[in-house]
Each structure stands twice: as C-alpha cells, then as structure tokens.
Amino acid sequence: MIFLTVIAVTYTIPWDSYLIRTGIWSYPPNVIAGYTLCDIPLEEIFFFAIQTYNTSLIYLLLGKVIFHPAHIQGSLESGTAKSIGRFGQSALLAIFFLSLQAAKVEGRGTYLALILVWASPVLFFIWTLCYSHILSLRWPNTLLPIAFPTGYLWIVDTLALRRGTWIIEDSTKLGIYLWPGLEIEEAVFFFLTNLIIVCGLICTDHYMAVLATFPSLFPSLPPYPSPRLLFDALTTSENEYPKDRLLGMKDAVNRLRGKSRSFWVASSAFDGRLRVDLLMLYSFCRVADDLIDEAPSYPAAVEALRSLRHFLDLAYTPIAKRPEDISSYVRRTFPAEYQSAFFLLPTEYLPREPLDELLEGFGTDLTFSKPRNDYANVEIKTEADLNLYARRVAGTVAELCLHLVFNHCQETDGVPEDIQQQLIAKGIEMGVALQYVNIARDIEVDARMRPGARVYLPRTWLDESAIDVKDLVRSCDYDSLSWSVGSNDSPLSPSKREVEAKIETLRGRLLKLGMSHFHASRPAIEEIPQTWGARRGMRVAVESYIEIGRAIAREMET
C-alpha cells in the first residue's frame, strides 16, 4: 500500500503542477495553509496520499478472502478474455492519442483532455499486464472498491466547489454537470483515480500470487519481495506457468468453497505460500474424506481407504525406490476431479505419521457403515475412544498445519525444536476441542446418515444416561413415525421427549469438555510465528470454529 501511494503521489505531482501553473485550476489563498511543493498546496499532496490509502483499504477489506493464485490464467486464458483484453488496449490507446490532440487545442475541453492524457497510459500499462486477472474477479471485488470512494469524493467535491475551495477555469471546462455543483471533469477525474488505484492493487496481487504459486520458478520467497523479485515475476512468460498446478488451484478453491466454507474463509487470514499449502493440505483431507464417505458401497469405501494408504506409501518412498509411478497410480485409481488434490499435497513439508493417523480416523467412520450394523461394532465405547478419534480426524490436521507454519517461517521466524513439540501438543488438543464442538453440533445429522447411522457419543455416556443407541437414532430421524419404543407411543410421547432431553444433556457435556480443551490450548496460539500471517490465521481459524460451540451453548441456555 505504501509503495503504491508513493508511486501515485510521484506520478501525479508533475501533472497537477502543470494544471496550476497554466491556470486550469487554482486555490484561493485564504483556504490553504500556504505551503506548496511545485506550486501544489501541501493539502493537495496529502489528498493524493489519503485517497490512495482509503481506496486501497476498501479494496483490501472487500477482497481479503480472494485467493489470487486461482485467478492466474496463464495458458488457461479463454479466447473471450483475450478479445476483451485487445479491445481494452485499443480503446485506451485511442483515448490517449485523441486526448493528446484535444489538449493541444486550448479550449473548453482542455481540462478533460489532460485528465485522460494523464490516466490512460497508466491504465493501458496495468490492463496489458493483468487484464485476465481483473476480468476473472467477481464484480463486488472490483467495482465496489471503485464505486464507494468515487461516490464519496463526488459528494465532497461538490461541497468544495460550491464553497470555492478550488476553482476550475471556465474556458477550459465543458460546462457539463453530473449533478448541480459537480463538473463532469471532476467526476471523471475521481472515477479514473480510483480505477487506477484498484487496478494497480489487483496487478500487484497478481504478481505476488505468481511468486507464491510457482515455487519451481521462484524457489525463495521472503515475506516482502524485493523489486528485483517482482520484476522477475513480471518478466516471466505465462507459458512457463505449470498448467496442472493452475488447474489444481482452481479445483481446490471450488472444493473448499462448497464443502469447507469455514476453513475457506478463515484461510484468508494467512498470506503467501503458507496459505497456498494450507489450502492444498485441506483440499487433500476433504478429498480423502469424500472418497470414503461418498463411496457407493461399504466394500468400495474399504477399497478407497486402501488406495489412500497406498498413495501415502508411494508419496513417502524415495522416487528411485517406488514400485510404480505415483502419477500413473493416481490417474488410474482416483476420479479425475480429485486427482489434483493428490498431486498438490505438499508432502515435502509434512511428516507421514499424522496422515496415517488421519486415515485411521476415517477408518473409524467406516465402521458405522459395516453391513448389518447393530451399533455393537462401533469403536467409540469410552471417553478415551472419543478422544483418540478426535485426535485422529482433527488433531492430526492441526499438527500438519503447524508443520507447514514451521517450515514456511523457519527462515525469518524460526521456532526451536522443543517449542515446536510443545506447540504441536497444544495444537492437537485444540483439534480435539474443535472436533468435540463439531460432534456436538451434528449429533442429529450424524445419526441420520445412511447407510449406517453415526453415533460418536461414547457408549459409556449413553449407558450412564440410560439411553439405548437405537432409541437415540430413531429420535433424531426426520420421520417422526419411525419412533416406537412401545406400541402405544405417539410421535410426541414423553418417552421421545425424554430421550431428546437426555441428548441435550450429553450435548452440553461434550461442549463443556471441548471448551475445557480449548481454554487449555488457546494461549499456545500466541507462541506461533507471525510471519505469513500464521498466528493471525490460526487465531481466526480457531475462533471461527469455536464460536459455533459458543452459539450452541447460548441456544441451550435459552
């Protein structure tokens, strides 16, 4: 933002100085402090800086969630985008040359012509560099950061012109008003300045994303890239961008937006390659879970779990010793829409053991789907079993995320090995806390799953509360007629209500246990490195999940 502000002020000073010296606009002496730079009042220079800052801030607030690597087009650019890009270039060139000619003929259109001569070269340069990225973004992320400050400045400028804070020479303006008191030239100027700022920010984000997305092209990436590194990104041909990686990024974004919305939003608090690798890790976890949960049959789910384990065998075997090519295995074994998640898993930064444990947790889920499940074969019989399951399906993910943090931050904010182990232990406990919240929220949803209703509440808890697991499942069924403890019980019988009340008691017990783990592990977040937004991102991710538990607790109290 500071870099862009410096460029904006530096580029605008000569132009604004020319306008004042030639009398196109002026400032009454009684409305300014009197200090000038190149005949420009310091208030005007401050305005250049504050406008750039404010518009940039709005853009960042509205666009923080954007994952810019997924908007890099490279060789994926469509023919339509290329046509629009060429049209934009031609239009901006035409505007520049026509405005240049008009500016030479001093008259009523001089001021507007000089505005266009000043703005069009910058817009042409930015548009040429990253028009495909600009076109790929959703309109709220591009038009709103332009519209909000432009509308505000139009109103402020109207008030200033009416009060005579600055004056435009009548012979150089068209005499056309957007509304009473606002010259069309001023309206165009503020629109174009905000357009330049927003497009400049998108262009900066584009090349920062290029650096973050392609470690094969840019092996070393500091948190604040040097001008030389940005220049290297600028001059690297798009034909060198790995196409499979671009496609994989887009697949991961679409997958997480649809099925892991909370983590997708929370990931926006992370920066650079750390965010990229966290999303790729979470995409793999999502795919692995889906391959098992969405398998058409129990044998197919068992085979999917076996295939996932074999993938890890290949991924963590040195290339020279692999019994088969990992790319061929993935393409032969897994559906096409899932394959990119395997190729982009950052195994170079991740130990294997947590991934194996994660699959063990998915194996526990699979026990619920065994044929003729009478709930007697479920592995979660005690509170210790529940803790082990939560450690496997959530604690492992926290551990893997922390390994990515430590690896990406080691050059600038390294963490000693003993502290790493302490943070990992607390991270696993935090994962347990969040999984307990997840289970508490979804007791009914899990019990309705078919085939094989899932009951994660420990069997010992159910026995203590005198709840039969079959009655729990029936009480959670959408079809209330499935409830029948006795032949004379109605869907709203006291027996059904009694079971539901006991479920609520167990939900509260599980939430309380989860919150105790949360409070025990929460202080460790403040020990995580700050580089790449790691500490901030972990804080946001945890709080977004734990707030679900707080909301459930508040609802239970009412």
Side-chain angles (χ1 to χ4, degrees):
M1 188 183 297
I2 295 174
F3 177 70
L4 188 63
T5 301
V6 171
I7 291 177
V9 172
T10 303
Y11 179 72
T12 306
I13 283 176
W15 176 81
D16 200 13
S17 178
Y18 174 81
L19 294 182
I20 293 173
R21 289 175 178 177
T22 55
I24 292 176
W25 68 29
S26 59
Y27 300 84
N30 63 310
V31 300
I32 59 176
Y35 300 101
T36 62
L37 176 65
C38 301
D39 294 325
I40 305 172
L42 290 184
E43 294 91 335
E44 176 82 353
I45 295 174
F46 174 75
F47 169 76
F48 299 157
I50 202 66
Q51 181 192 359
T52 305
Y53 176 83
N54 288 339
T55 302
S56 298
L57 190 60
I58 294 172
Y59 167 80
L60 293 174
L61 289 173
L62 293 175
K64 182 60 180 174
V65 74
I66 299 173
F67 184 56
H68 286 281
H71 294 274
I72 299 172
Q73 301 302 308
S75 58
L76 304 180
E77 184 180 348
S78 67
T80 301
K82 290 180 179 178
S83 298
I84 296 174
R86 294 191 188 100
F87 174 79
Q89 290 172 318
S90 301
L92 288 168
L93 283 175
I95 289 171
F96 173 74
F97 286 110
L98 291 173
S99 300
L100 188 62
Q101 286 297 116
K104 292 178 181 179
V105 181
E106 296 184 2
R108 297 185 65 83
T110 302
Y111 182 27
L112 180 60
L114 288 171
I115 291 173
L116 296 174
V117 167
W118 168 79
S120 54
V122 181
L123 288 172
F124 175 82
F125 178 71
I126 294 172
W127 182 257
T128 300
L129 289 178
C130 57
Y131 65 83
S132 60
H133 197 121
I134 295 171
L135 293 173
S136 70
L137 296 174
R138 296 171 61 247
W139 69 266
N141 303 126
T142 53
L143 297 185
L144 291 183
I146 298 170
F148 286 164
T150 298
Y152 170 75
L153 290 173
W154 281 354
I155 295 171
V156 172
D157 193 50
T158 301
L159 297 175
L161 287 171
R162 286 176 176 175
R163 294 183 59 178
T165 304
W166 57 78
I167 301 168
I168 303 171
E169 175 60 39
D170 288 338
S171 63
T172 64
K173 60 184 181 181
L174 294 173
I176 300 173
Y177 294 83
L178 184 66
W179 59 58
L182 181 62
E183 312 279 356
I184 191 65
E185 291 88 350
E186 289 288 280
V188 171
F189 173 76
F190 288 120
F191 168 73
L192 290 177
T193 52
N194 288 310
L195 179 64
I196 290 172
I197 293 167
V198 171
C199 289
L201 288 166
I202 294 172
C203 193
T204 302
D205 283 337
H206 172 78
Y207 286 103
M208 291 292 289
V210 168
L211 292 173
T213 304
F214 306 116
S216 60
L217 299 177
F218 310 99
S220 178
L221 179 61
Y224 301 101
S226 65
R228 175 57 190 270
L229 194 55
L230 285 170
F231 180 77
D232 289 343
L234 178 67
T235 55
T236 299
S237 171
E238 292 186 346
N239 294 327
E240 297 183 42
Y241 299 167
K243 183 178 180 180
D244 290 342
R245 190 166 177 84
L246 289 176
L247 288 170
M249 295 282 182
K250 296 178 188 296
D251 289 343
V253 167
N254 291 333
R255 184 176 299 120
L256 297 180
R257 272 180 178 167
K259 293 191 174 183
S260 300
R261 185 71 182 176
S262 296
F263 185 81
W264 162 250
V265 174
S267 75
S268 64
F270 296 94
D271 297 324
R273 283 183 184 164
L274 177 57
R275 186 185 185 189
V276 171
D277 282 343
L278 284 170
L279 288 177
M280 297 310 104
L281 166 63
Y282 215 84
S283 176
F284 171 81
C285 296
R286 182 74 267 166
V287 163
D289 193 25
D290 288 349
L291 284 170
I292 296 170
D293 281 355
E294 298 177 5
S297 64
Y298 176 76
V302 171
E303 178 60 23
L305 184 58
R306 187 202 67 78
S307 299
L308 288 164
R309 286 173 172 149
H310 186 59
F311 165 76
L312 293 181
D313 289 339
L314 293 175
Y316 284 91
T317 299
I319 295 177
K321 296 182 179 181
R322 287 175 183 169
E324 59 182 313
D325 177 66
I326 192 170
S327 297
S328 299
Y329 175 76
V330 169
R331 291 191 171 91
R332 184 177 70 251
T333 307
F334 300 107
E337 65 270 22
Y338 291 153
Q339 291 172 7
S340 61
F342 294 88
F343 295 133
L344 297 185
L345 179 66
T347 52
E348 65 271 25
Y349 300 132
L350 303 172
R352 176 172 179 175
E353 183 179 357
L355 290 167
D356 284 329
E357 285 294 303
L358 178 65
L359 295 185
E360 286 296 323
F362 292 160
T364 299
D365 290 334
L366 199 51
T367 63
F368 290 100
S369 300
K370 284 184 178 179
R372 297 182 300 279
N373 182 4
D374 60 359
Y375 310 106
N377 59 349
V378 176
E379 296 182 9
I380 303 177
K381 294 181 171 63
T382 67
E383 188 175 310
D385 294 335
L386 175 63
N387 184 274
L388 177 61
Y389 170 75
R391 289 172 66 89
R392 283 175 168 172
V393 299
T396 55
V397 177
E399 180 180 356
L400 291 165
C401 289
L402 285 171
H403 278 290
L404 289 177
V405 169
F406 298 147
N407 276 281
H408 282 287
C409 297
Q410 63 182 350
E411 292 185 6
T412 56
D413 202 1
V415 179
E417 182 66 28
D418 59 329
I419 303 299
Q420 287 188 25
Q421 294 307 313
Q422 294 174 24
L423 290 177
I424 287 173
K426 290 298 183 181
I428 292 172
E429 184 175 7
M430 181 64 77
V432 170
L434 301 183
Q435 185 61 25
Y436 283 2
V437 169
N438 193 43
I439 292 172
R441 179 192 62 186
D442 292 339
I443 290 175
E444 290 82 4
V445 174
D446 292 332
R448 296 182 192 122
M449 291 190 69
R450 299 293 183 272
R454 297 184 179 184
V455 179
Y456 293 104
L457 295 172
R459 184 61 60 86
T460 54
W461 287 17
L462 298 178
D463 292 342
E464 292 170 9
S465 301
I467 303 177
D468 184 276
V469 66
K470 294 181 181 178
D471 291 342
L472 184 150
V473 171
R474 282 198 294 271
S475 72
C476 296
D477 202 312
Y478 282 122
D479 180 6
S480 60
L481 295 178
S482 66
W483 173 260
S484 58
V485 175
S487 58
N488 296 323
D489 287 332
S490 70
L492 298 178
S493 67
S495 297
K496 183 178 187 334
R497 289 196 295 269
E498 182 182 3
V499 172
E500 291 173 339
K502 290 179 178 180
I503 291 174
E504 287 303 298
T505 300
L506 293 180
R507 191 194 313 275
R509 180 178 177 180
L510 185 56
L511 279 176
K512 184 177 180 180
L513 186 58
M515 294 305 290
S516 69
H517 284 296
F518 165 73
H519 290 300
S521 55
R522 174 63 178 80
I525 293 178
E526 305 310 315
E527 302 297 321
I528 293 174
Q530 298 191 61
T531 308
W532 298 117
R535 182 186 302 174
R536 176 187 67 217
M538 289 297 182
R539 192 185 296 130
V540 171
V542 166
E543 289 295 333
S544 64
Y545 278 104
I546 209 69
E547 184 58 30
I548 296 172
R550 296 190 185 109
I552 296 172
R554 288 193 296 268
E555 185 177 342
M556 291 178 65
E557 291 174 357
T558 58

